[in-house]
C-alpha cells in the first residue's frame, strides 16, 4: 500500500496508474476509521476498482468557528493499519498546509442543495466540503468515488457539483453502517459516554419506526423525551431536498441532534 502526504506525488502516481489502464476509486474520509468507512472500501472493491485511494484529512475549511476541528479524533497509525487490512492500495494523508497553500483563495460553492439542513446549521460547511472534494478529484481523477448515506445531504451536494462542473466520474452511495444497537457509526461516537450512547438510540429507533404518513411530531417528541437537543428533524424530497409536509415514499427524513455536546446525524430513505 502506497502512503502519500504530498499532493503532487499522489497526483503523479494516480495519473500513471490511469495511463496503465487501472480503474481508480476514491474514498474521502476524515480518518479515525470505523466500519462505516471500511464499508466504503468494500464497496470500491465490489465495484472492481484496481486502485482504491483512501484520503484521510480533517479538512479545516469545512468546520465552523466553535466546532470540534481541534479535538476531532485522529489516529494515523490505526487508520493506516485498517486501510491496509481492508484492501486500500493507497492512502493520502495530507497536511492542511500542503492542501491549502499560502493565500489559498479559490472555493467551490454549491448554492441550491446546501441551503437547508446541515448547510443552514453549519454555514460554510459545504463550501469546505465541495472545495476539498473537488481538489481530491483533481488529484486522483478517479473513475468513481464512494460516499456514505450517513451524510445524505453531502452525497446530493457532491453529485450536483459533479454534474454542474463536469467532473468525469461516478458517485457511488453506500448504505449506513450501524452498531448492533442501531446507532449509526461515526468517528464522533467516541465523544459519547455510556449514558449518552443510550440516549442516542432514540435517533435510529425513531427513524426506523417511520412509515409513509408517520408524523414528524412523534419523532420530535421521542428525541426530546430521550433528552436530546434537536438541531433539526426534517422530511425532504430525496432528490431535490425540498421540504415535504408528509412522510411518503421518495422522501428522506433527516435528524441532527445534540447528545450532550456531541452533534449526531442520521437519516432514513422512505
Ligand atoms: P467522515 O470521515 O465522517 O467525514 O466520513 C467519510 C465518509 O464515510 C463519508 O462519505 C461518510 O458518509 C462515510 N461514513 C461515515 N460514517 C458512515 C457510516 N456509519 N456508514 C456508512 N458510511 C459512513
Amino acid at each position: 500500500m502506497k502512503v502519500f502526504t504530498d499532493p503532487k506525488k499522489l497526483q503523479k502516481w494516480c495519473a500513471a496508474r490511469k495511463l496503465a489502464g487501472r480503474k481508480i476509486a476514491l474514498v474521502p474520509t476524515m480518518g479515525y476509521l470505523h466500519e462505516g468507512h471500511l464499508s466504503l472500501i468494500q464497496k470500491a472493491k465490489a465495484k472492481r476498482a484496481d486502485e482504491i485511494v483512501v484520503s484521510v484529512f480533517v479538512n479545516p475549511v469545512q468546520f465552523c468557528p466553535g466546532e470540534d476541528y481541534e479535538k476531532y479524533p485522529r489516529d494515523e497509525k490505526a487508520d493506516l493499519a485498517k486501510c491496509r487490512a481492508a484492501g486500500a492500495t493507497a492512502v493520502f494523508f495530507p497536511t492542511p498546509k500542503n492542501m491549502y497553500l499560502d493565500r489559498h483563495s479559490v472555493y467551490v460553492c454549491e448554492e441550491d442543495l446546501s441551503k437547508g439542513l446541515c448547510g443552514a446549521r453549519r454555514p460554510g460547511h459545504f463550501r469546505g466540503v465541495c472545495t476539498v472534494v473537488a481538489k481530491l478529484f483533481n488529484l486522483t481523477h478517479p473513475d468513481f468515488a464512494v460516499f456514505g448515506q450517513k451524510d445524505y445531504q453531502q452525497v446530493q451536494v457532491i453529485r450536483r457539483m459533479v454534474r454542474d462542473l463536469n467532473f468525469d466520474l461516478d458517485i457511488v452511495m453506500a448504505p449506513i453502517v450501524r452498531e448492533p444497537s442501531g446507532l449509526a457509526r461515526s468517528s464522533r461516537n467516541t465523544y459519547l459516554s455510556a449514558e449518552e450512547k443510550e440516549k442516542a438510540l432514540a435517533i435510529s429507533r425513531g427513524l426506523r419506526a417511520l412509515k409513509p404518513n408517520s408524523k414528524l411530531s412523534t419523532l420530535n417528541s421521542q428525541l426530546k423525551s430521550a433528552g436530546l437537543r434537536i438541531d433539526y428533524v426534517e422530511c425532504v424530497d430525496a432528490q431535490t431536498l425540498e421540504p415535504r409536509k408528509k412522510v411518503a415514499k421518495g422522501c428522506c427524513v433527516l435528524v441532527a441532534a445534540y447528545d450532550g455536546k456531541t452533534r449526531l446525524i442520521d437519516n432514513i430513505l422512505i
Side-chain angles (χ1 to χ4, degrees), residues 43-85:
K43 189 79 172 179
K45 262 198 201 160
K47 294 193 75 72
R48 307 201 159 274
D50 301 304
E51 306 293 352
I52 303 176
V53 182
V54 179
S55 63
V56 175
F57 181 52
V58 185
N59 174 33
V61 184
Q62 72 187 66
F63 286 79
C64 304
E67 288 187 346
D68 57 346
Y69 173 68
E70 309 290 343
K71 73 164 207 186
Y72 195 84
R74 293 159 168 93
D75 190 342
E76 214 168 286
K77 238 177 115 183
D79 286 349
L80 271 178
K82 287 176 187 170
C83 284
R84 190 172 281 123

Side-chain angles (χ1 to χ4, degrees), residues 27-40 55-58 62 72 125 129 146-152 154-155 172-179 183-189 265-266:
V27 178
T29 81
M30 297 206 297
Y32 211 73
L33 302 179
H34 51 68
E35 283 172 41
H37 299 116
L38 302 182
S39 77
L40 308 185
S55 63
V56 175
F57 181 52
V58 185
Q62 72 187 66
Y72 195 84
H125 170 66
V129 169
V146 191
F147 292 86
Q149 187 195 322
K150 167 84 187 336
D151 299 85
Y152 187 75
Q154 171 171 280
V155 181
V172 175
M173 182 170 83
I176 303 175
V177 174
R178 299 177 180 282
E179 296 188 2
L183 177 64
R185 290 194 186 267
S186 163
S187 307
R188 289 189 170 99
N189 290 353
I265 58 169
D266 200 348

Side-chain angles (χ1 to χ4, degrees), residues 72-216:
Y72 195 84
R74 293 159 168 93
D75 190 342
E76 214 168 286
K77 238 177 115 183
D79 286 349
L80 271 178
K82 287 176 187 170
C83 284
R84 190 172 281 123
T89 59
V91 181
F92 178 44
F93 271 114
T95 61
K97 279 218 167 93
N98 62 24
M99 281 299 266
Y100 298 104
L101 302 181
D102 192 29
R103 304 179 74 123
H104 176 103
S105 58
V106 179
Y107 296 88
V108 180
C109 298
E110 193 286 327
E111 300 189 335
D112 175 24
L113 302 168
S114 38
K115 282 217 164 99
L117 303 165
C118 285
R121 300 298 174 151
R122 304 181 67 190
H125 170 66
F126 286 114
R127 167 180 179 264
V129 169
C130 286
T131 302
V132 79
V133 171
K135 285 166 71 68
L136 292 168
F137 287 170
N138 283 330
L139 289 172
T140 57
H141 286 283
D143 293 271
F144 66 93
V146 191
F147 292 86
Q149 187 195 322
K150 167 84 187 336
D151 299 85
Y152 187 75
Q153 185 179 17
Q154 171 171 280
V155 181
Q156 296 308 102
V157 168
I158 297 294
R159 283 200 165 127
R160 180 66 65 84
M161 178 182 84
V162 164
R163 188 196 77 170
D164 287 359
L165 295 185
N166 307 95
F167 281 100
D168 186 18
L169 76 154
D170 295 325
I171 300 299
V172 175
M173 182 170 83
I176 303 175
V177 174
R178 299 177 180 282
E179 296 188 2
S181 65
L183 177 64
R185 290 194 186 267
S186 163
S187 307
R188 289 189 170 99
N189 290 353
T190 181
Y191 299 148
L192 301 175
S193 66
E195 196 183 317
E196 286 171 337
K197 265 197 155 179
E198 190 60 38
K199 278 199 217 169
L201 296 186
I203 302 174
S204 52
R205 226 179 258 146
L207 285 171
R208 206 170 41 229
L210 291 174
K211 299 274 171 310
N213 294 320
S214 292
K215 290 212 157 45
L216 283 191

